[in-house]
Amino acid sequence: MLIGLIIIGGEAIISYKSLPLKKEVKKLIHLVLHAHALVLGIIGICAAFKNHNESGIANLYSLHSWLGIGVISLYGIQWIFGFVVFFYPGGSSELRRESVPWHVLFGLFVYILALATSSLGFLEKLTFLESSGVAKYGAEALLVNFNAIITILFGTFVVLSAISQAPPAADDYAPI
């Protein structure tokens, strides 16, 4: 789920904003990367349910799991909306123009919610490790905390790149 929703999802956000390609190509890359992220997120949730069921652990008992279900649902809704309005069959130019700010805002909201959910997942993992006897400052605990900080920093840079000024599109390129 981390690779899908955070890393590939973040790359999808960055790719649309920063690649100096034609708009249609950027849209396709953005769409495909988000589709991969969504599929990996769904596989991750299925794996979590399978693991919990096989281990006798209750499902959906924590804030992390509740937010995770919310994130994957919102991510799917956002992807379907983007596909229908911006890709196929595509809305009218007026609908697309009016939808873009909301699509961007909702997409960043879902991405930030995914970052928060992943942070809760790291905290939950750390709690399980400590309750099973792992030292508070042991190698495993440091690894979990390090991964959490790297994830948050990566997400921060994705959000900053999404709200920053985009480079000129390939259509706007003129030789010197």
Side-chain angles (χ1 to χ4, degrees):
M1 285 184 275
L2 182 70
I3 291 170
L5 297 176
I6 305 299
I7 296 174
I8 295 176
E11 291 297 325
I13 293 168
I14 292 170
S15 71
Y16 189 78
K17 185 75 175 211
S18 64
L19 290 178
L21 303 171
K22 293 191 180 295
K23 188 175 186 178
E24 294 78 23
V25 175
K26 292 194 304 186
K27 279 172 45 175
L28 183 61
I29 292 169
H30 183 73
L31 178 80
V32 169
L33 285 175
H34 274 307
H36 280 91
L38 183 59
V39 167
L40 287 175
I42 291 168
I43 290 169
I45 285 181
C46 291
F49 274 104
K50 183 178 185 231
N51 179 45
H52 282 207
N53 292 339
E54 290 175 356
S55 303
I57 301 171
N59 289 311
L60 301 173
Y61 63 90
S62 67
L63 181 60
H64 169 70
S65 59
W66 289 13
L67 286 177
I69 294 295
V71 164
I72 203 72
S73 299
L74 293 173
Y75 206 102
I77 290 168
Q78 172 79 342
W79 190 87
I80 291 168
F81 174 81
F83 183 83
V84 170
V85 171
F86 300 109
F87 195 72
Y88 182 82
S92 66
S93 60
E94 182 179 341
L95 174 64
R96 289 193 314 263
R97 185 176 57 254
E98 291 177 6
S99 296
V100 165
W102 294 106
H103 182 68
V104 170
L105 179 68
F106 189 69
L108 284 176
F109 170 74
V110 172
Y111 186 74
I112 291 168
L113 191 58
L115 282 169
T117 304
S118 72
S119 296
L120 287 171
F122 284 119
L123 180 62
E124 192 173 298
K125 181 65 177 174
L126 193 57
T127 303
F128 288 153
L129 286 173
E130 288 178 358
S131 67
S132 66
V134 171
K136 286 188 184 289
Y137 299 106
E140 293 91 346
L142 292 175
L143 182 63
V144 171
N145 285 330
F146 178 76
N147 282 332
I149 288 174
I150 294 299
T151 300
I152 292 167
L153 286 174
F154 177 79
T156 301
F157 289 123
V158 167
V159 171
L160 289 175
S161 71
I163 62 175
S164 67
Q165 182 72 26
D171 302 3
D172 301 338
Y173 176 77
I176 298 176

